[in-house]
Amino acid sequence: MFGDIIRFLLDITFTLFGAVLVLRCWMQLARVHPRHPVTHSVIQATNWLVLPLRRVVPGVGGIDWASIVAAWLVAIVYLLLLALLSGLNLATFLPAALGLALLTVLKWGLNLVVWMTLIQAVLSWVNPHAPLMPLLQTLTAPLLAPIRRVLPLLGGIDLSPLVLLVIAQVALMMVARLSISLFGFY
């Protein structure tokens, strides 16, 4: 039971921090204003790790690669801690952890897409003028736009968030299957 509690706490802590690092990259890619309160909070929470990495890993093509590398490093630490808890030999698990960490970062990003889309959909029904809505729309618009071009409104209802949720869930299933088939670990 104690091991399950530790595993749960590690999962929550590392998943939230990893998702914030992916969100930092996503916000820069979507060109969210740096003075937005959420952006400011994300930057403040991650600067301690991202800024030193920026000296080594520059941003290219508008992508904040330092944030992605930081998320990958966080995923490696997370996986090594899980392996340690499971009693695996860290030296033999490390090569697999390097590749599995990439899939973990992808999983964090896909989960972020799911949550942002869900929150935006619920807020659009409950409080479409919520202060968080412009940020959510800015982040999800590039993902929803291609779906909206293909899928027309159905009786005035936009089903594109539902389609995006289904696509993200299918992608999460594929990442899980790939993790298990390549590394025997998820």
Side-chain angles (χ1 to χ4, degrees):
M1 181 172 94
F2 183 69
D4 291 337
I5 292 170
I6 297 295
R7 192 172 287 110
F8 170 75
L9 293 174
L10 284 174
D11 190 41
I12 291 294
T13 304
F14 279 88
T15 299
L16 285 176
F17 188 63
V20 169
L21 287 164
V22 173
L23 180 60
R24 180 177 175 141
C25 179
W26 188 4
M27 287 177 155
Q28 181 177 335
L29 206 57
R31 299 182 189 272
V32 175
H33 197 280
R35 298 229 187 256
H36 190 282
V38 174
T39 307
H40 184 70
S41 298
V42 166
I43 289 171
Q44 289 300 319
T46 57
N47 264 350
W48 67 272
L49 183 56
V50 173
L51 290 182
L53 284 172
R54 281 222 175 113
R55 294 183 197 133
V56 182
V57 182
V60 178
I63 298 174
D64 183 10
W65 288 106
S67 294
I68 298 298
V69 169
W72 179 67
L73 292 172
V74 166
I76 291 171
V77 171
Y78 167 63
L79 292 168
L80 290 176
L81 287 172
L82 287 181
L84 189 64
L85 275 175
S86 300
L88 296 175
N89 183 350
L90 294 183
T92 58
F93 181 69
L94 183 61
L98 299 176
L100 192 55
L102 289 173
L103 294 175
T104 302
V105 171
L106 182 59
K107 182 177 96 171
W108 290 341
L110 289 168
N111 278 320
L112 201 57
V113 169
V114 168
W115 282 105
M116 293 289 173
T117 306
L118 274 174
I119 293 168
Q120 180 184 353
V122 170
L123 276 179
S124 72
W125 300 327
V126 177
N127 186 6
H129 301 293
L132 193 56
M133 279 300 281
L135 173 68
L136 294 171
Q137 289 170 338
T138 301
L139 291 172
T140 60
L143 302 173
L144 293 171
I147 299 169
R148 286 180 176 144
R149 280 193 291 272
V150 174
L151 187 68
L153 290 178
L154 200 62
I157 298 173
D158 182 12
L159 294 178
S160 61
L162 180 62
V163 172
L164 181 59
L165 286 172
V166 169
I167 292 169
Q169 287 296 342
V170 168
L172 280 167
M173 288 179 208
M174 292 169 59
V175 167
R177 181 65 61 187
L178 187 61
S179 295
I180 291 170
S181 67
L182 289 178
F183 305 105
F185 195 88
Y186 182 68

